[in-house]
Amino acid sequence: NFLKLHWDGVTPLLLGYSGGSDSKALLYALLETGCKPHLAHVDHGWREESSAEASLLKKEAETLGLPFHMTRLEKTKGEDAARKGRLVFFRGLFQKIPFQAFMLAHHAKDLAETVLKRVLEGAHLPSLGGMEEVGMMEGMALWRPLLSHKKEEIATFLEERKLEPLIDSTNFDPKYLRARMRLEILPHIAKLFGKEIEENLSLLSKRAFELKTYLAKKTEGQKLNSDLERLEARYLLIELAKRKNISINRVILERALDAMYSHRGKVQITPSILVDKGQVVIIE
């Protein structure tokens, strides 16, 4: 159903493939529809067995008759560095091959974890939305066909087809935040709360995206000045700064808004942000 809605049936698709349960389920579900994606595998080099696993995945792709693209990230430290390395690899593939979209196998629990993480980090309301089924990432169309499906459904799919996924030990290592969220934080909160919170967090994500869409329409073509409601001005300032690759934290953001609504004379908030008589100017 997802492919009928979004895929043109001709342009190649790229699938991020780790060989784990989620990406393996998505791959074989795609194959059952007749879709044969290109596979993109990233060997993070964090585990001794990762090179051997990459070779296994390459052989699997050859057996299935699928194009296989691989990179190894040397000496990457931390999840942020690994994420940046993956993006560089995926963008490079998109520049070489005209893919219609890049697919990832995130599911409902991944979405819930991401939303909870953003809540705890104090993200702005429009930014609480964790992921969307169809979106954009670094100029690439991004599809997540399994986002509304539960982890249990994925496990059943693999079991029925006798598919054996690879097991990444880092998924169970609490030194990684994603492992702590999955194994400790989310289950502990659900236990204390007395019921599952996954669906409620997913709903919060949807409402946050609705708010973001509304604010985008409301502020389109608007000047960043005190005529806007504070919620609108905050959203617009964040978006304008993003477009100009300017990083602003929460303190700077609120200082700029306070100065704007006070209609004071020139106030230099940062070298890039100037507020003058109810208007914010972002300097290149």
Side-chain angles (χ1 to χ4, degrees):
N1 288 336
F2 184 94
L3 292 178
K4 284 178 182 177
L5 281 172
H6 303 291
W7 187 38
D8 64 15
V10 178
T11 309
L13 301 173
L14 180 66
L15 170 64
Y17 190 57
S18 68
S21 59
D22 306 333
S23 62
K24 187 169 284 284
L26 179 53
L27 170 59
Y28 283 83
L30 290 168
L31 292 174
E32 287 184 15
T33 70
C35 174
K36 293 190 173 184
H38 287 233
L39 304 184
H41 177 69
V42 178
D43 178 0
H44 293 89
W46 289 342
R47 298 173 294 119
E48 291 182 8
E49 62 270 29
S50 64
S51 292
E53 290 174 352
S55 297
L56 286 174
L57 296 181
K58 185 177 180 181
K59 288 179 183 177
E60 180 184 21
E62 290 171 353
T63 301
L64 295 171
L66 302 177
F68 185 77
H69 312 273
M70 192 196 83
T71 189
R72 181 178 172 87
L73 302 181
E74 299 290 347
K75 299 179 181 178
T76 53
K77 293 184 179 180
E79 294 172 77
D80 286 341
R83 180 178 178 277
K84 290 176 183 175
R86 290 195 299 269
L87 284 175
V88 169
F89 172 56
F90 298 141
R91 278 201 310 264
L93 292 175
F94 259 71
Q95 289 169 358
K96 294 176 186 175
I97 303 170
F99 294 110
Q100 184 179 346
F102 176 47
M103 291 184 291
L104 291 173
H106 292 122
H107 49 77
K109 190 173 287 293
D110 292 322
L111 175 59
E113 291 165 3
T114 303
V115 174
L116 180 59
K117 177 176 177 287
R118 293 190 179 183
V119 169
L120 297 177
E121 289 173 339
H124 297 286
L125 292 176
S127 302
L128 289 181
M131 309 172 193
E132 290 181 291
E133 281 191 341
V134 176
M136 294 294 295
M137 180 179 72
E138 301 288 328
M140 301 179 288
L142 181 61
W143 294 353
R144 295 183 174 97
L146 302 182
L147 199 58
S148 62
H149 294 276
K150 293 187 176 182
K151 183 70 173 177
E152 292 77 13
E153 294 178 78
I154 293 172
T156 299
F157 179 91
L158 294 171
E159 188 178 337
E160 288 174 347
R161 289 154 181 79
K162 295 181 172 55
L163 295 169
E164 292 290 335
L166 295 177
I167 305 299
D168 183 348
S169 59
T170 63
N171 289 332
F172 308 97
D173 189 340
K175 78 177 181 181
Y176 297 104
L177 178 58
R178 58 188 168 85
R180 293 199 302 277
M181 290 291 297
R182 182 168 302 137
L183 301 175
E184 299 175 7
I185 300 173
L186 197 63
H188 185 62
I189 292 175
K191 183 179 178 181
L192 291 175
F193 194 56
K195 62 180 180 180
E196 287 299 317
I197 57 176
E198 187 177 304
E199 288 186 10
N200 290 338
L201 288 169
S202 296
L203 181 60
L204 177 58
S205 175
K206 289 180 182 178
R207 297 295 177 262
F209 276 117
E210 287 174 1
L211 176 60
K212 189 172 185 178
T213 301
Y214 169 79
L215 289 172
K217 289 180 180 177
K218 190 79 172 170
T219 60
E220 186 177 5
Q222 297 279 356
K223 291 184 178 179
L224 187 50
N225 58 39
S226 57
D227 291 338
L228 297 171
E229 295 291 338
R230 192 174 182 108
L231 178 64
E232 299 167 351
R234 183 183 293 110
Y235 169 81
L236 186 55
L237 179 51
I238 291 171
E239 290 302 306
L240 291 175
K242 248 190 237 175
R243 290 173 208 166
K244 297 181 184 297
N245 293 316
I246 296 171
S247 177
I248 53 173
N249 61 33
R250 193 180 311 163
V251 174
I252 292 172
L253 179 64
E254 298 307 320
R255 277 182 58 205
L257 294 176
D258 288 343
M260 183 179 77
Y261 285 108
S262 69
H263 288 266
R264 292 158 57 191
K266 289 184 181 179
V267 181
Q268 195 78 46
I269 305 295
T270 71
S272 302
I273 299 175
L274 172 70
V275 181
D276 186 19
K277 295 177 183 176
Q279 184 161 324
V280 177
V281 179
I282 297 180
I283 302 163
E284 292 285 1

